[in-house]
Amino acid sequence: MELLGLPLRRTFLAVILNLLALTLSTTALLGSYWCTGTQKVPKPLCGKSKASQCVGVPMPSDADASNVSSEDTVHYSWETGDDRFAFRYFHTGMWLSCEESMEGPEEKCRSFIELSPPAERGILWLSLGSEMLYISLLLISFILLMVEILHTGNPVCGMKLNAFAAVSSVLSGLLGMVAHMMYTQVFQATVNLGPEDWRPHTWDYGWAFYMAWASFTCCMASAVTTLNTYTKTILEFKRNHIKGYDGSLKDHPQHHQCFIQQISSYYEPKGKVFCSVSEGVDFYTDLQQKILQREPELDLDEVLGQTIGEDCC
């Protein structure tokens, strides 16, 4: 029954969203495509092993070597303008920054932590720590939701697991958002203050960056779904509790029905009134006066029994 257990459909949806967020965030953290672009670098001089993507400088013959100075050769090289530069592709992640090599098809990778300015390395380490903690909390939330699905015998225990999973998802989403924003700040500072041979000419965000924010979106959607499951379950238990009160009123004396209805009125809408509170107060006031008028050795249960037969709510 749905009233005795947690709604499994919403829990399954929260598990799927949480697993998707966990997969996307792990892939983005391990990837090196948070930012991509091009770097403007000077072309190497052409030689026997390098015939393309190079600057050709005319070398004088041995006979004319004494007549041509090195200044003329350098002056000719500068006159080529932008032809002396090449635009190589690069991509950067949280751990590595890889650049296209001008000498072969292989890529040259360097640590992005070493490329970042010394003043920004603390923020970068904090961003990495927040990203790892974000993934860890996502994993904890996923485990709690799986235990909730498998452990359906105790609804109260399932509600507690649901509440802890919701809190873990919310905290992980906040940490992920902070980690992504701090990395963006560090990368922009590295673009302006990084090494001269690394600074990009043009750059944009890569697929790993968008994957990280998609993971954050799935994480918050999972948290909202989990909280919605917990809230609806609480309301269902409360409604079932009220129906239980309504069904048991006919089994009690009339004055008990009065006060049970007064207690259950806190769970009912304000427009539905079962019994006047003043009548209940008058009942116990009359009861107290009759006890005082009786003999001291008279038992309270006897007075209460006689009063039940005389008065009603």
Side-chain angles (χ1 to χ4, degrees), residues 8-63:
L8 293 181
R9 292 183 180 178
R10 293 190 293 268
T11 306
F12 274 122
L13 179 60
V15 168
I16 293 174
L17 291 172
N18 189 279
L19 182 61
L20 183 60
L22 183 62
T23 304
L24 292 176
S25 60
T26 304
T27 305
L29 178 63
L30 298 178
S32 59
Y33 286 85
W34 284 67
C35 298
T36 60
T38 57
Q39 295 172 334
K40 187 177 180 180
V41 296
K43 294 180 181 179
L45 297 177
C46 295
K48 295 181 180 180
S49 60
K50 186 69 175 177
S52 61
Q53 294 292 324
C54 60
V55 177
V57 179
M59 300 300 296
S61 61
D62 295 339

Side-chain angles (χ1 to χ4, degrees), residues 237-266:
F237 273 115
K238 185 180 295 185
R239 183 176 57 186
N240 190 31
H241 186 65
I242 295 171
K243 289 181 179 179
Y245 269 128
D246 294 340
S248 61
L249 287 178
K250 58 184 179 181
D251 300 330
H252 296 276
Q254 192 173 1
H255 72 284
H256 287 174
Q257 296 180 20
C258 174
F259 285 95
I260 291 175
Q261 289 172 348
Q262 290 175 13
I263 294 173
S264 61
S265 65
Y266 290 98

